[in-house]
Amino acid sequence: MEMYTTVSPGRVNLIGEHTDYSFGYVMPMAVNLYTQIEGDAFEHVELYSKHFEETKSFKLDQIKKEDSWIDYVKAIYWVLIREGLTPKGIKGRIGGNLPIGSGLSSSASFELAVISLLNEIYKLGLSPKDMALLAQRAENEFIGVPCGIMDQFIIALGKEDHAMFLDTETLEYEYVPIPKDIQILVFHTGVRRMLTGSAYADRRKMVVEVLRRISKKSSKHVEEKDLKGLPGIYKRRFGYIIRENKRVLNARDALKSGDVETFGKILTEAHLDIARNYGVSCGELDYIVRKAVEFGAYGARLTGAGFGGAAIAVVDREKGKEIGDRLLLEYSRAFRWKAKYFLVEASQGVEVFRG
């Protein structure tokens, strides 16, 4: 029997936070930590998770949520069936080295691992872009997390040694080379965040409401003067999004010209703005950003939705481990959470291998 292996990266977002659901700009990169599924065709779904040390199974005519990791697999089947596609089951094993719940988008990585495996086994004919859009729909409509397109898109279409500048309104994108002498340090604070039904959804509702009130489709087309007459909290929060879109453009240009110092400063400025005006940081994230810069990083900021999770710092390649170790030591003295850090490289998007 043919065995397939799908290797699906995690992601970090370098800049452009909470802009994707307002159809703004983002600049993520796929990272060299992966979800891996080894599997082949089967009459129903039966998967063993190494992380959870358990096997879960379901029949394709019984796709109901059960509030466990298998829901992400069910979500992909659900969306494919709704598209009129008819994949049959899979039997396999889920592993990899991408930590779950560490702000590296393990959920989108898992979704893309599943959909790319089914696409390959059952010859569904989906392009990487199709798979990204379907995985986002699965997460929005079945899982119930109102995420934007960014995570799924970069995991489907990532390129080694490059970040991606993405316009989330038009889905036009370009690859931006990452200078060879820097590394991205991802520091996971150990503060767990739950996104479903959380403050994340509140932020998204606010953004949709502002765009509706001012009759704009995308935050890219909004200036701060357009917010006149809106409640103060709306002005403050949406003002952050307007400035963040501009920062993504400036950060892209800085990276393209190899100006790492300017790039780093933009990241730190972005963190101060999101913490002060968008209200999604926390004391632990602020501490890491401050200390990373103090210890020699070019810049740092929270990455992902915030409310805990991870921060990133841009560091010289030869100083990465030293800065990471120092951060971990200081942080462990200041907070009781179990933290960890990773030094990551920009990686290729999801791939499936046979045999």
Side-chain angles (χ1 to χ4, degrees):
M1 198 179 271
E2 184 91 66
M3 185 65 94
Y4 295 80
T5 301
T6 179
V7 177
S8 184
R11 70 92 190 93
V12 293
N13 187 25
L14 297 176
I15 184 92
E17 216 60 80
H18 287 269
T19 49
D20 63 340
Y21 52 76
S22 67
F23 301 106
Y25 300 123
V26 293
M27 197 162 68
M29 73 181 206
V31 300
N32 59 333
L33 293 165
Y34 306 95
T35 304
Q36 189 168 310
I37 306 178
E38 293 166 2
D40 48 38
F42 201 58
E43 68 268 15
H44 61 271
V45 175
E46 188 177 300
L47 289 167
Y48 172 77
S49 164
K50 199 173 156 195
H51 177 85
F52 293 103
E53 297 184 332
E54 63 180 357
T55 299
K56 294 266 188 189
S57 61
F58 63 91
K59 293 193 166 68
L60 299 184
D61 58 355
Q62 295 171 352
I63 298 180
K64 291 193 179 71
K65 275 176 84 170
E66 56 180 87
D67 293 322
S68 90
W69 58 269
I70 199 70
D71 286 350
Y72 289 97
V73 184
K74 290 181 173 183
I76 294 298
Y77 273 96
W78 178 86
V79 82
L80 290 173
I81 291 163
R82 284 176 82 108
E83 281 294 296
L85 297 164
T86 52
K88 296 202 169 41
I90 43 171
K91 180 173 185 170
R93 184 181 171 85
I94 306 154
N97 60 357
L98 177 64
I100 291 174
S102 58
L104 295 168
S105 204
S106 55
S107 57
S109 175
F110 186 26
E111 289 156 6
L112 265 299
V114 174
I115 198 169
S116 62
L117 187 62
L118 293 175
N119 190 43
E120 189 67 30
I121 293 175
Y122 293 112
K123 306 290 176 263
L124 303 179
L126 300 170
S127 70
K129 186 173 168 184
D130 294 334
M131 291 194 289
L133 288 162
L134 288 169
Q136 182 205 10
R137 244 186 84 197
E139 185 143 352
N140 289 172
E141 296 174 25
F142 189 86
I143 301 295
V145 175
C147 63
I149 187 60
M150 175 183 71
D151 292 358
Q152 289 83 2
F153 205 88
I154 185 61
I155 290 166
L157 287 136
K159 183 178 176 183
E160 199 171 352
D161 300 327
H162 290 73
M164 175 193 280
F165 170 80
L166 172 65
D167 179 329
T168 62
E169 180 187 22
T170 63
L171 298 186
E172 286 171 9
Y173 62 95
E174 67 174 295
Y175 293 112
V176 183
I178 297 200
K180 294 268 188 246
D181 51 354
I182 63 166
Q183 251 182 329
I184 305 301
L185 187 156
V186 182
F187 191 98
H188 186 250
T189 58
V191 181
R192 290 300 296 265
R193 52 185 176 72
M194 291 300 291
L195 291 189
T196 322
S198 71
Y200 177 87
D202 298 340
R203 298 298 185 284
R204 182 166 182 147
K205 277 188 204 129
M206 181 275 299
V207 162
V208 169
E209 175 63 11
V210 170
L211 290 171
R212 188 190 66 76
R213 286 198 192 189
I214 62 175
S215 306
K216 303 271 189 188
K217 177 159 192 288
S218 159
S219 59
K220 297 175 312 187
H221 312 309
V222 184
E223 296 289 330
E224 300 217 26
K225 63 177 182 348
D226 299 329
L227 306 179
K228 235 176 16 201
L230 290 178
I233 189 73
Y234 283 22
K235 276 192 204 160
R236 195 166 131 212
R237 292 205 169 138
F238 209 92
Y240 155 77
I241 286 176
I242 293 167
R243 293 186 294 277
E244 185 77 344
N245 277 324
K246 288 177 182 151
R247 279 191 289 265
V248 182
L249 295 168
N250 295 337
R252 174 198 62 183
D253 295 345
L255 261 195
K256 278 165 97 171
S257 64
D259 184 353
V260 179
E261 291 205 2
T262 298
F263 178 66
K265 286 193 178 103
I266 294 168
L267 264 57
T268 309
E269 179 192 306
H271 181 81
L272 296 173
D273 196 355
I274 201 169
R276 192 175 298 137
N277 296 305
Y278 212 64
V280 299
S281 188
C282 61
E284 291 88 343
L285 286 165
D286 295 345
Y287 179 90
I288 286 302
V289 168
R290 195 169 64 249
K291 286 291 180 186
V293 174
E294 193 184 304
F295 295 164
Y298 290 101
R301 68 172 198 87
L302 70 80
T303 189
F307 311 106
I312 55 167
V314 182
V315 295
D316 278 324
R317 188 170 285 280
E318 72 270 15
K319 288 190 194 154
K321 186 173 183 319
E322 180 198 322
I323 293 174
D325 287 347
R326 215 173 147 196
L327 276 174
L328 198 54
L329 183 67
E330 294 279 329
Y331 182 85
S332 304
R333 285 177 181 155
F335 299 98
R336 61 184 176 83
W337 307 108
K338 194 167 169 40
K340 54 194 169 204
Y341 77 89
F342 314 91
L343 290 162
V344 298
E345 312 284 345
S347 137
Q348 207 58 26
V350 65
E351 295 180 283
V352 183
F353 305 95
R354 294 173 71 161

